[in-house]
Amino acid sequence: MIKPYFKSQDKNFYLLKGDTMDLLPKINHKFDMVFADPPYFLSNNGLSIQSGQVVSVNKGKWDKSYGFDYINKFNYKWLKQVRELMKDDATIWISGTMHNIFSIGQILTELDFKILNIITWQKTNPPPNFSCRYFTYSTEQIIWARKSKKVPHYYNYELMKQLNGNKQMQDVWKLPAIAKWEKSCKKHPTQKPLSVLTRLILASTKPNAWILDPFTGSSTTGIASNLANRRFLGIDKETEFLEISKCRKIEIENKETADLYKKKISGFNTAKELSNFLSKEPKPIEKVALGFCRKKDIPNLTNTNKFYFHAIEKNNFVQDFPTDILDAKILYLYQGGRGKPLFFTGHFGKIKTVKLKHKLQIKGKENSRTEYYYEIELENNFEFNEYQTKQLDPKILFEKNDKINKELLSKYLPTISTLNKVKINLNIDKYAGA
Ligand SMILES: C[S@@+](CC[C@H](N)C(=O)[O-])C[C@H]1O[C@@H](n2cnc3c(N)ncnc32)[C@H](O)[C@@H]1O
């Protein structure tokens, strides 16, 4: 089983430790957006200037270059794996410089992504050029691409325009390099500023979106995501960097610190603009879980507040991190199948907790072929409403592009839908189904 290195209490911030190439294929979750700040492979023993001091440009072993072929293979491998974890309408942002950006651009095209923009992040305070033989390096590129040529992506045009004095936001972003207050948990050698991440997150995601960073470092992506009410999973192989990430998340669990940081992030017209915008964003649609129940178990349901969901395994790995079931607020049960129509049983309840458990920890499931289950505890015992014993219509229960849940339902497995869809099916006004 893959366990997170760190899981925040609010379940909006997960960190995995290991090689991203090993972990990505084991993840059973689809993301709305990906930001990647991969190794630029520029640690070539060169020199630069920082705060008036001559310093080495070397960032660490992970950034050492072994030649163009190596860089290409590396980029192809992680980009192919990440693509599998993106929802059909998801987009990806990848930052780089001349050392890796051409490789990334070519591979994105090979893998059938559609490149949307190449943002030039112009640092307003770049370090001077040490050799005085070139122009000052003051920019980084950030490629924005979408997964599918055919499926449209989300772009918050109006907000971007507002941030640019009511004129269309351009692809050159003048934002400062990382500020002192962003280093409160020890600095990562290539830490990105929250201003850049906040802008691209707001431009390309809706509230509650799931965001992946396969090279998370100090998790600037995660901090910007959580400050903006989005959710986050980050991967890094270095404990030292994961500890910085963890420290940064714990820091913003304090509401006053989070509010202060929101005021300090550059790129907004006023200190309150970010918080004001976030407070007006629409609330996400509530998710509900649909659990399959055998006929013989139905009579006893109202005597219990527990239900077990199969933990769906990918490549034989069960994960203890983002899965849609953790989002579900209400559980509805269904029965039937095997040649007969599927029916809602009329049993439902408000979900209190969802815990991943091994079969040996569950009485009566010791001999099951399924190794892991999600134990769902309801706030009260199952309620029953006979008006909700309706035939289940898969056609109107899921979004058109939601192939995963449709397929799970056809195998009588746990599925996730949304309250608005279930309402159409069951004709209820509120969860209690009056
Ligand atoms: C450019 S840094 C990311 C910095 C980050 N954006 C921030 O704001 O802190 C790249 C990170 O990728 C990690 N890394 C490099 N190769 C990796 C791999 N194969 N698997 C997991 N992490 C890797 C490094 O440890 C490093 O922290």
Side-chain angles (χ1 to χ4, degrees):
M1 186 176 67
I2 333 172
K3 270 192 174 279
Y5 177 86
F6 173 69
K7 180 173 171 178
S8 66
Q9 277 189 345
D10 59 12
K11 298 205 177 105
N12 289 336
F13 188 99
Y14 292 79
L15 296 172
L16 305 187
K17 185 183 166 193
D19 192 320
T20 212
M21 312 277 192
D22 296 338
L23 289 169
L24 290 171
K26 296 172 189 167
I27 295 176
N28 193 12
H29 187 78
K30 295 268 182 190
F31 293 84
D32 300 281
M33 193 271 259
V34 180
F35 173 81
D37 182 12
Y40 289 8
F41 299 108
L42 53 67
S43 293
N44 53 6
N45 301 325
L47 297 172
S48 174
I49 293 187
Q50 245 177 40
S51 317
Q53 304 279 317
V54 178
V55 291
S56 162
V57 298
N58 289 358
K59 309 293 179 198
K61 260 199 230 144
W62 53 268
D63 196 49
K64 191 171 157 32
S65 171
Y66 299 97
F68 199 65
D69 213 31
Y70 175 85
I71 297 177
N72 270 345
K73 280 192 186 133
F74 179 91
N75 286 334
Y76 189 87
K77 195 165 174 193
W78 74 261
L79 271 167
K80 193 166 180 351
Q81 290 177 346
V82 157
R83 196 171 191 278
E84 293 295 310
L85 300 184
M86 291 169 68
K87 289 186 184 164
D88 287 345
D89 59 353
T91 61
I92 182 166
W93 302 78
I94 307 145
S95 66
T97 53
M98 59 168 140
H99 305 84
N100 67 336
I101 208 75
F102 301 111
S103 160
I104 300 275
Q106 180 171 338
I107 293 165
L108 282 174
T109 313
E110 270 174 44
L111 289 174
D112 235 16
F113 284 91
K114 178 181 160 73
I115 295 182
L116 302 169
N117 278 119
I118 303 177
I119 302 295
T120 299
W121 166 33
Q122 184 183 359
K123 295 172 202 176
T124 48
N125 48 353
N129 184 264
F130 177 62
S131 70
C132 302
R133 288 166 56 80
Y134 312 98
F135 298 101
T136 307
Y137 296 115
S138 64
T139 62
E140 286 189 32
Q141 277 63 50
I142 309 174
I143 301 183
W144 186 32
R146 76 178 190 212
K147 178 178 179 176
S148 164
K149 291 209 168 91
K150 292 193 189 119
V151 185
H153 62 283
Y154 173 75
Y155 174 51
N156 194 336
Y157 172 81
E158 286 305 328
L159 176 67
M160 291 301 113
K161 191 171 158 193
Q162 180 187 321
L163 297 185
N164 193 39
N166 257 342
K167 290 194 213 114
Q168 281 196 339
M169 176 68 84
Q170 295 172 354
D171 58 2
V172 178
W173 296 358
K174 286 190 187 126
L175 293 168
I178 154 178
K180 248 196 187 143
W181 61 269
E182 300 180 66
K183 302 175 197 171
S184 51
C185 289
K186 214 179 139 210
K187 183 187 170 287
H188 182 284
T190 59
Q191 190 169 323
K192 286 271 175 297
L194 281 166
S195 56
V196 171
L197 270 298
T198 304
R199 181 172 295 176
L200 59 84
I201 286 168
L202 294 181
S204 60
T205 65
K206 296 181 192 161
N208 237 23
W210 270 109
I211 296 173
L212 167 70
D213 187 335
F215 303 98
T216 199
S218 65
S219 296
T220 311
T221 313
I223 301 304
S225 302
N226 281 190
L227 287 174
N229 307 327
R230 274 70 170 163
R231 296 172 294 171
F232 173 73
L233 173 76
I235 307 173
D236 206 290
K237 53 184 183 185
E238 305 290 342
T239 311
E240 184 193 347
F241 301 150
L242 293 171
E243 281 301 309
I244 303 177
S245 302
K246 194 172 141 186
C247 165
R248 294 182 82 189
K249 169 62 184 169
I250 291 168
E251 204 178 54
I252 61 160
E253 278 171 356
N254 178 325
K255 195 180 169 311
E256 278 169 25
T257 310
D259 287 344
L260 182 69
Y261 284 4
K262 281 185 221 170
K263 285 187 190 148
K264 286 187 170 191
I265 294 174
S266 301
F268 294 90
N269 299 303
T270 65
K272 285 195 180 152
E273 193 174 16
L274 173 56
S275 295
N276 285 346
F277 168 75
L278 294 174
S279 66
K280 285 183 204 133
E281 282 202 305
K283 295 271 167 296
I285 298 166
E286 224 158 70
K287 291 207 170 146
V288 298
L290 309 181
F292 179 76
C293 189
R294 291 175 306 183
K295 199 171 177 188
K296 66 176 183 140
D297 294 329
I298 292 174
N300 284 328
L301 282 173
T302 47
N303 301 328
T304 178
N305 67 344
K306 291 245 169 76
F307 189 81
Y308 292 92
F309 254 50
H310 291 243
I312 314 294
E313 299 167 25
K314 185 179 176 195
N315 301 339
N316 293 325
F317 289 100
V318 169
Q319 63 189 26
D320 188 14
F321 50 91
T323 154
D324 283 350
I325 180 66
L326 298 176
D327 286 348
K329 301 280 184 291
I330 307 160
L331 169 65
Y332 290 92
L333 298 187
Y334 71 94
Q335 65 161 134
R338 299 187 210 286
K340 297 194 185 115
L342 291 171
F343 273 92
F344 283 104
T345 67
H347 297 86
F348 61 95
K350 219 171 187 172
I351 296 174
K352 188 172 160 200
T353 56
V354 182
K355 289 187 192 137
L356 186 65
K357 288 206 163 162
H358 189 261
K359 62 179 179 183
L360 296 179
Q361 296 172 287
I362 310 166
K363 211 168 156 238
K365 298 245 184 247
E366 296 86 350
N367 298 323
S368 166
R369 278 211 315 224
T370 305
E371 288 271 307
Y372 285 93
Y373 287 87
Y374 287 108
E375 180 183 83
I376 303 199
E377 193 184 335
L378 302 179
E379 278 181 7
N380 300 300
N381 283 1
F382 275 99
E383 291 179 52
F384 175 71
N385 182 333
E386 67 174 305
Y387 298 108
Q388 293 184 13
T389 52
K390 295 259 175 73
Q391 188 158 347
L392 188 157
D393 183 352
K395 277 198 213 100
I396 56 172
L397 211 49
F398 305 109
E399 294 297 338
K400 266 194 200 124
N401 57 2
D402 181 358
K403 293 177 211 126
I404 299 174
N405 280 300
K406 258 183 226 157
E407 200 185 313
L408 291 174
L409 187 80
S410 69
K411 294 180 183 162
Y412 320 118
L413 281 166
T415 52
I416 305 292
S417 179
T418 49
L419 189 56
N420 56 342
K421 302 270 180 198
V422 173
K423 266 185 190 173
I424 303 170
N425 246 294
L426 291 177
N427 201 14
I428 50 170
D429 281 333
K430 55 182 182 146
Y431 106 90

